Amino acid sequence: MGGSMVLARRFEEHRPRLRAVAYRLLGSLGEAAEAVEEARLRLERPGAGADADPGPEAGAVRNADRALTAAVARVCLDRLRSRTAARREEAPYGEDGRVRLPDPVVGRAPGHGPDPGPDPDHDPEQRALLSDGCELPFMAALDTLGPAERVAFVLYDLCAVPSDEVAEVLGRTEASARQLADRARRRVRAAAPAPDGDPEHRREVVAAFLAAAGDGDLDALLPVLDPDVVARSDGGALRPSLLRRGATTVAAQAVIFARLAEAAHPVLVNGAPGVMAVAEGRVISVMSFTVRGGRVTALDVLTDPDRLTRLGLTALLD
Protein backbone atom coordinates (compact mmCIF):
# COMPACT_ATOMS: atom_id res chain seq x y z
CA MET A 1 0.00 0.00 0.00
CA GLY A 2 1.43 3.39 -1.02
CA GLY A 3 2.37 6.02 1.53
CA SER A 4 -0.38 8.47 0.53
CA MET A 5 -3.01 5.71 0.81
CA VAL A 6 -1.76 4.79 4.28
CA LEU A 7 -2.03 8.41 5.40
CA ALA A 8 -5.51 8.80 3.92
CA ARG A 9 -6.76 5.65 5.64
CA ARG A 10 -5.25 6.55 8.99
CA PHE A 11 -6.29 10.21 9.02
CA GLU A 12 -9.95 9.76 9.92
CA GLU A 13 -9.08 7.14 12.52
CA HIS A 14 -6.79 9.62 14.21
CA ARG A 15 -8.81 12.81 13.78
CA PRO A 16 -9.75 13.06 17.52
CA ARG A 17 -6.12 12.65 18.57
CA LEU A 18 -4.91 15.08 15.93
CA ARG A 19 -7.46 17.66 17.04
CA ALA A 20 -6.23 17.24 20.62
CA VAL A 21 -2.64 17.86 19.46
CA ALA A 22 -3.78 20.97 17.56
CA TYR A 23 -5.74 22.19 20.60
CA ARG A 24 -2.63 21.99 22.77
CA LEU A 25 -0.66 23.83 20.12
CA LEU A 26 -3.24 26.57 19.43
CA GLY A 27 -5.40 26.79 22.57
CA SER A 28 -8.51 27.22 20.40
CA LEU A 29 -11.03 24.48 19.71
CA GLY A 30 -12.22 26.12 16.50
CA GLU A 31 -8.71 26.76 15.18
CA ALA A 32 -7.70 23.23 16.12
CA ALA A 33 -10.48 21.78 13.96
CA GLU A 34 -9.49 24.10 11.09
CA ALA A 35 -5.81 23.18 11.39
CA VAL A 36 -6.56 19.46 11.28
CA GLU A 37 -8.67 19.92 8.16
CA GLU A 38 -5.96 22.05 6.55
CA ALA A 39 -3.42 19.33 7.28
CA ARG A 40 -5.71 16.76 5.66
CA LEU A 41 -6.01 18.89 2.53
CA ARG A 42 -2.24 19.34 2.36
CA LEU A 43 -1.73 15.59 2.60
CA GLU A 44 -4.11 15.03 -0.29
CA ARG A 45 -1.85 16.94 -2.64
CA PRO A 46 -0.01 14.74 -5.13
CA GLY A 47 3.18 13.32 -3.62
CA ALA A 48 2.41 14.57 -0.11
CA GLY A 49 2.49 11.07 1.38
CA ALA A 50 5.49 9.84 -0.54
CA ASP A 51 7.70 9.73 2.55
CA ALA A 52 5.40 7.41 4.47
CA ASP A 53 6.86 3.91 4.66
CA PRO A 54 4.74 1.64 2.40
CA GLY A 55 5.48 -1.53 4.38
CA PRO A 56 5.59 -3.74 6.22
CA GLU A 57 2.16 -2.86 7.58
CA ALA A 58 3.18 -2.31 11.24
CA GLY A 59 6.01 -0.01 10.21
CA ALA A 60 3.73 1.84 7.80
CA VAL A 61 1.18 2.46 10.54
CA ARG A 62 3.79 3.79 12.97
CA ASN A 63 5.29 6.06 10.33
CA ALA A 64 1.86 7.21 9.17
CA ASP A 65 0.84 8.14 12.71
CA ARG A 66 3.96 10.25 13.14
CA ALA A 67 3.55 11.75 9.68
CA LEU A 68 0.01 12.85 10.54
CA THR A 69 1.15 14.44 13.81
CA ALA A 70 3.98 16.22 12.00
CA ALA A 71 1.60 17.48 9.30
CA VAL A 72 -0.76 18.98 11.90
CA ALA A 73 2.19 20.44 13.83
CA ARG A 74 3.47 22.23 10.71
CA VAL A 75 0.06 23.82 10.09
CA CYS A 76 -0.15 24.90 13.73
CA LEU A 77 3.39 26.31 13.64
CA ASP A 78 2.44 28.47 10.67
CA ARG A 79 -0.66 29.69 12.51
CA LEU A 80 1.26 30.40 15.71
CA ARG A 81 3.82 32.44 13.80
CA SER A 82 1.09 34.45 12.07
CA ARG A 83 -0.66 35.01 15.40
CA THR A 84 2.56 36.16 17.08
CA ALA A 85 3.29 38.60 14.24
CA ALA A 86 -0.21 40.07 14.54
CA ARG A 87 0.14 40.51 18.29
CA ARG A 88 3.48 42.25 17.90
CA GLU A 89 1.84 44.80 15.65
CA GLU A 90 -0.68 45.54 18.42
CA ALA A 91 1.43 45.22 21.58
CA PRO A 92 3.87 42.71 23.07
CA TYR A 93 2.09 39.74 24.62
CA GLY A 94 0.72 40.62 28.03
CA GLU A 95 1.81 44.26 27.83
CA ASP A 96 -1.50 45.54 26.47
CA GLY A 97 -3.23 44.84 29.78
CA ARG A 98 -5.33 42.04 28.35
CA VAL A 99 -5.71 38.59 29.84
CA ARG A 100 -5.96 35.86 27.21
CA LEU A 101 -7.20 32.40 28.15
CA PRO A 102 -7.40 29.31 25.95
CA ASP A 103 -10.79 27.86 25.05
CA PRO A 104 -12.05 25.67 27.88
CA VAL A 105 -13.33 22.15 27.34
CA VAL A 106 -16.49 22.12 29.47
CA GLY A 107 -18.59 19.13 30.53
CA ARG A 108 -21.07 18.27 33.25
CA ALA A 109 -19.65 17.47 36.64
CA PRO A 110 -20.41 13.97 37.98
CA GLY A 111 -23.76 13.88 39.76
CA HIS A 112 -25.03 17.17 38.29
CA GLY A 113 -27.74 17.30 35.67
CA PRO A 114 -29.85 14.54 34.10
CA ASP A 115 -26.94 13.29 32.03
CA PRO A 116 -23.31 13.17 33.20
CA GLY A 117 -22.25 14.41 29.78
CA PRO A 118 -19.69 12.85 27.44
CA ASP A 119 -17.85 9.97 29.03
CA PRO A 120 -14.14 10.32 28.29
CA ASP A 121 -13.81 6.54 28.54
CA HIS A 122 -16.24 6.01 25.64
CA ASP A 123 -16.08 9.24 23.62
CA PRO A 124 -12.85 9.36 21.57
CA GLU A 125 -13.09 13.13 21.10
CA GLN A 126 -13.42 13.83 24.84
CA ARG A 127 -10.85 11.20 25.77
CA ALA A 128 -8.29 12.79 23.45
CA LEU A 129 -9.02 16.36 24.47
CA LEU A 130 -8.95 15.58 28.20
CA SER A 131 -5.78 13.52 28.18
CA ASP A 132 -2.58 14.69 29.87
CA GLY A 133 -1.40 18.27 29.48
CA CYS A 134 -4.87 19.77 29.30
CA GLU A 135 -5.85 21.62 32.49
CA LEU A 136 -6.55 25.28 31.82
CA PRO A 137 -3.59 26.80 33.77
CA PHE A 138 -1.26 24.46 31.88
CA MET A 139 -2.83 25.51 28.59
CA ALA A 140 -2.50 29.17 29.57
CA ALA A 141 1.17 28.60 30.35
CA LEU A 142 1.66 27.11 26.89
CA ASP A 143 0.25 30.31 25.41
CA THR A 144 3.17 32.30 26.84
CA LEU A 145 5.68 30.30 24.80
CA GLY A 146 7.04 31.31 21.43
CA PRO A 147 5.79 29.29 18.43
CA ALA A 148 8.86 27.07 18.08
CA GLU A 149 9.10 26.51 21.85
CA ARG A 150 5.46 25.49 22.04
CA VAL A 151 5.69 23.05 19.14
CA ALA A 152 8.93 21.53 20.45
CA PHE A 153 7.51 21.06 23.96
CA VAL A 154 4.17 19.60 22.84
CA LEU A 155 5.74 17.21 20.35
CA TYR A 156 8.47 16.05 22.74
CA ASP A 157 6.60 15.90 26.04
CA LEU A 158 2.97 15.27 25.09
CA CYS A 159 3.27 13.37 21.81
CA ALA A 160 6.58 11.50 22.31
CA VAL A 161 7.73 12.39 18.79
CA PRO A 162 11.38 11.38 18.13
CA SER A 163 13.86 14.20 18.31
CA ASP A 164 14.91 14.01 14.66
CA GLU A 165 11.29 14.41 13.55
CA VAL A 166 10.71 17.35 15.91
CA ALA A 167 13.79 19.01 14.45
CA GLU A 168 12.49 18.41 10.93
CA VAL A 169 9.12 20.05 11.73
CA LEU A 170 10.90 23.07 13.20
CA GLY A 171 13.59 23.27 10.52
CA ARG A 172 16.31 23.16 13.19
CA THR A 173 19.05 20.84 14.37
CA GLU A 174 18.17 18.18 16.94
CA ALA A 175 20.27 19.95 19.56
CA SER A 176 18.47 23.24 18.95
CA ALA A 177 15.06 21.56 19.09
CA ARG A 178 15.93 19.87 22.39
CA GLN A 179 17.08 23.19 23.85
CA LEU A 180 13.77 24.78 22.87
CA ALA A 181 11.84 21.97 24.55
CA ASP A 182 13.97 22.16 27.71
CA ARG A 183 13.47 25.92 27.98
CA ALA A 184 9.74 25.59 27.40
CA ARG A 185 9.49 22.80 29.97
CA ARG A 186 11.09 24.96 32.68
CA ARG A 187 8.82 27.91 31.90
CA VAL A 188 5.65 25.82 31.91
CA ARG A 189 6.50 24.10 35.18
CA ALA A 190 7.20 27.45 36.83
CA ALA A 191 4.00 29.04 35.50
CA ALA A 192 1.68 26.08 36.13
CA PRO A 193 2.77 23.95 39.11
CA ALA A 194 0.94 20.64 39.47
CA PRO A 195 -2.38 20.94 41.37
CA ASP A 196 -3.48 18.68 44.22
CA GLY A 197 -4.00 15.16 42.97
CA ASP A 198 -7.21 14.16 44.79
CA PRO A 199 -10.20 15.16 42.60
CA GLU A 200 -12.73 14.75 45.40
CA HIS A 201 -10.76 17.03 47.71
CA ARG A 202 -10.47 19.63 44.96
CA ARG A 203 -14.25 19.50 44.45
CA GLU A 204 -14.76 20.05 48.16
CA VAL A 205 -12.53 23.14 48.11
CA VAL A 206 -14.41 24.53 45.08
CA ALA A 207 -17.76 23.81 46.76
CA ALA A 208 -16.62 25.69 49.88
CA PHE A 209 -15.54 28.62 47.70
CA LEU A 210 -18.93 28.74 45.94
CA ALA A 211 -20.91 28.49 49.16
CA ALA A 212 -18.97 31.29 50.82
CA ALA A 213 -19.03 33.54 47.74
CA GLY A 214 -22.75 32.96 47.21
CA ASP A 215 -23.48 33.88 50.83
CA GLY A 216 -21.22 36.93 50.66
CA ASP A 217 -19.30 35.51 53.62
CA LEU A 218 -15.77 36.90 53.42
CA ASP A 219 -14.79 35.28 56.72
CA ALA A 220 -15.60 31.86 55.29
CA LEU A 221 -14.12 32.64 51.87
CA LEU A 222 -10.69 33.87 52.92
CA PRO A 223 -9.51 30.53 54.45
CA VAL A 224 -10.32 28.78 51.15
CA LEU A 225 -7.98 31.09 49.23
CA ASP A 226 -4.21 31.00 49.17
CA PRO A 227 -2.79 34.34 50.43
CA ASP A 228 -1.14 34.85 47.02
CA VAL A 229 -4.09 33.67 44.93
CA VAL A 230 -4.33 35.10 41.38
CA ALA A 231 -7.60 35.65 39.51
CA ARG A 232 -7.51 36.17 35.75
CA SER A 233 -10.56 37.15 33.72
CA ASP A 234 -10.64 37.17 29.91
CA GLY A 235 -13.47 39.36 28.68
CA GLY A 236 -12.44 39.47 25.04
CA ALA A 237 -12.86 42.61 22.97
CA LEU A 238 -16.17 43.69 24.53
CA ARG A 239 -15.45 43.37 28.24
CA PRO A 240 -12.41 44.51 30.22
CA SER A 241 -9.88 41.93 31.29
CA LEU A 242 -9.14 41.72 34.98
CA LEU A 243 -6.11 40.55 36.92
CA ARG A 244 -6.44 40.42 40.70
CA ARG A 245 -3.92 39.24 43.27
CA GLY A 246 -4.18 38.44 46.97
CA ALA A 247 -6.86 36.68 49.01
CA THR A 248 -8.66 39.81 50.23
CA THR A 249 -8.92 41.38 46.77
CA VAL A 250 -9.96 38.15 45.06
CA ALA A 251 -12.51 37.34 47.77
CA ALA A 252 -14.18 40.73 47.41
CA GLN A 253 -14.29 40.35 43.61
CA ALA A 254 -15.74 36.83 43.93
CA VAL A 255 -18.57 38.06 46.14
CA ILE A 256 -19.44 40.83 43.67
CA PHE A 257 -19.39 38.42 40.75
CA ALA A 258 -21.53 35.87 42.61
CA ARG A 259 -24.25 38.51 43.00
CA LEU A 260 -24.35 39.03 39.22
CA ALA A 261 -25.11 35.38 38.51
CA GLU A 262 -28.55 33.90 38.95
CA ALA A 263 -27.14 30.38 39.15
CA ALA A 264 -23.78 28.66 39.37
CA HIS A 265 -23.53 25.18 37.88
CA PRO A 266 -20.67 22.88 38.88
CA VAL A 267 -18.92 21.66 35.73
CA LEU A 268 -15.68 20.08 34.63
CA VAL A 269 -13.31 22.52 32.94
CA ASN A 270 -10.60 20.62 31.08
CA GLY A 271 -11.27 17.72 33.40
CA ALA A 272 -10.89 19.78 36.61
CA PRO A 273 -13.60 21.15 38.94
CA GLY A 274 -15.08 24.39 37.67
CA VAL A 275 -18.20 26.56 37.60
CA MET A 276 -20.46 27.86 34.85
CA ALA A 277 -22.39 31.00 35.84
CA VAL A 278 -25.76 31.82 34.25
CA ALA A 279 -27.86 35.00 34.13
CA GLU A 280 -31.08 35.53 32.17
CA GLY A 281 -30.73 32.11 30.62
CA ARG A 282 -27.26 32.87 29.20
CA VAL A 283 -23.89 31.56 30.22
CA ILE A 284 -21.95 34.60 31.44
CA SER A 285 -18.75 32.92 32.61
CA VAL A 286 -16.78 29.71 32.94
CA MET A 287 -14.42 29.53 35.90
CA SER A 288 -11.56 27.10 36.39
CA PHE A 289 -9.92 26.56 39.78
CA THR A 290 -6.37 25.56 40.60
CA VAL A 291 -6.16 23.93 44.04
CA ARG A 292 -2.82 23.36 45.72
CA GLY A 293 -2.18 22.63 49.38
CA GLY A 294 -5.92 22.53 50.03
CA ARG A 295 -6.50 26.12 48.90
CA VAL A 296 -7.41 27.90 45.69
CA THR A 297 -4.20 29.31 44.22
CA ALA A 298 -5.60 30.53 40.90
CA LEU A 299 -8.90 31.28 39.20
CA ASP A 300 -9.17 31.53 35.43
CA VAL A 301 -12.44 33.02 34.25
CA LEU A 302 -13.69 33.30 30.68
CA THR A 303 -16.34 36.03 30.34
CA ASP A 304 -15.96 36.79 26.63
CA PRO A 305 -19.58 36.60 25.34
CA ASP A 306 -18.56 35.80 21.77
CA ARG A 307 -16.41 32.84 22.72
CA LEU A 308 -18.92 31.57 25.27
CA THR A 309 -21.58 31.56 22.55
CA ARG A 310 -19.33 29.72 20.09
CA LEU A 311 -18.62 27.03 22.68
CA GLY A 312 -22.33 26.11 22.74
CA LEU A 313 -22.49 25.77 26.52
CA THR A 314 -26.25 26.29 26.85
CA ALA A 315 -26.65 22.59 25.97
CA LEU A 316 -25.27 21.83 29.44
CA LEU A 317 -28.23 23.65 31.03
CA ASP A 318 -30.79 21.11 29.73
Side-chain angles (χ1 to χ4, degrees), residues 11 18-19 21-28 30-45 48 66-84 147-148 150-151 155 168-170:
F11 194 95
L18 295 172
R19 188 182 178 212
V21 172
Y23 171 59
R24 283 154 180 73
L25 288 170
L26 297 172
S28 165
E31 280 193 79
E34 293 173 358
V36 169
E37 186 62 15
E38 183 178 343
R40 183 187 68 81
L41 293 174
R42 288 188 185 183
L43 289 170
E44 286 184 350
R45 295 171 185 167
R66 293 201 296 263
L68 294 175
T69 301
V72 169
R74 288 189 180 95
V75 172
C76 292
L77 181 60
D78 290 343
R79 288 178 173 242
L80 287 169
R81 286 169 172 164
S82 296
R83 181 193 295 175
T84 300
R150 186 167 186 164
V151 171
L155 292 184
E168 184 179 350
V169 169
L170 296 175

Side-chain angles (χ1 to χ4, degrees), residues 122-140:
H122 297 91
D123 187 319
E125 188 84 8
Q126 287 292 106
R127 185 170 63 248
L129 284 173
L130 298 178
S131 61
D132 58 349
C134 187
E135 291 199 8
L136 209 61
F138 181 91
M139 292 291 298

Side-chain angles (χ1 to χ4, degrees), residues 162-236:
S163 60
D164 60 329
E165 296 180 23
V166 177
E168 184 179 350
V169 169
L170 296 175
R172 293 171 177 258
T173 65
E174 288 189 50
S176 174
R178 283 194 294 268
Q179 288 176 351
L180 284 172
D182 289 341
R183 186 165 65 229
R185 192 176 301 116
R186 290 192 296 270
R187 291 178 59 186
V188 169
R189 287 174 178 172
D196 289 352
D198 185 349
E200 183 58 34
H201 176 63
R202 292 164 69 181
R203 285 193 289 268
E204 291 173 357
V205 173
V206 172
F209 173 95
L210 291 177
D215 292 340
D217 189 345
L218 288 175
D219 290 335
L221 187 54
L222 286 172
V224 181
L225 300 174
D226 185 89
D228 298 318
V229 62
V230 177
R232 298 173 285 257
S233 175
D234 180 351

Side-chain angles (χ1 to χ4, degrees), residues 267-293:
V267 293
L268 292 178
V269 181
N270 289 47
V275 176
M276 185 171 68
V278 178
E280 299 180 353
R282 295 182 302 104
V283 177
I284 61 172
S285 72
V286 170
M287 181 182 297
S288 170
F289 295 79
T290 300
V291 178
R292 298 185 69 240

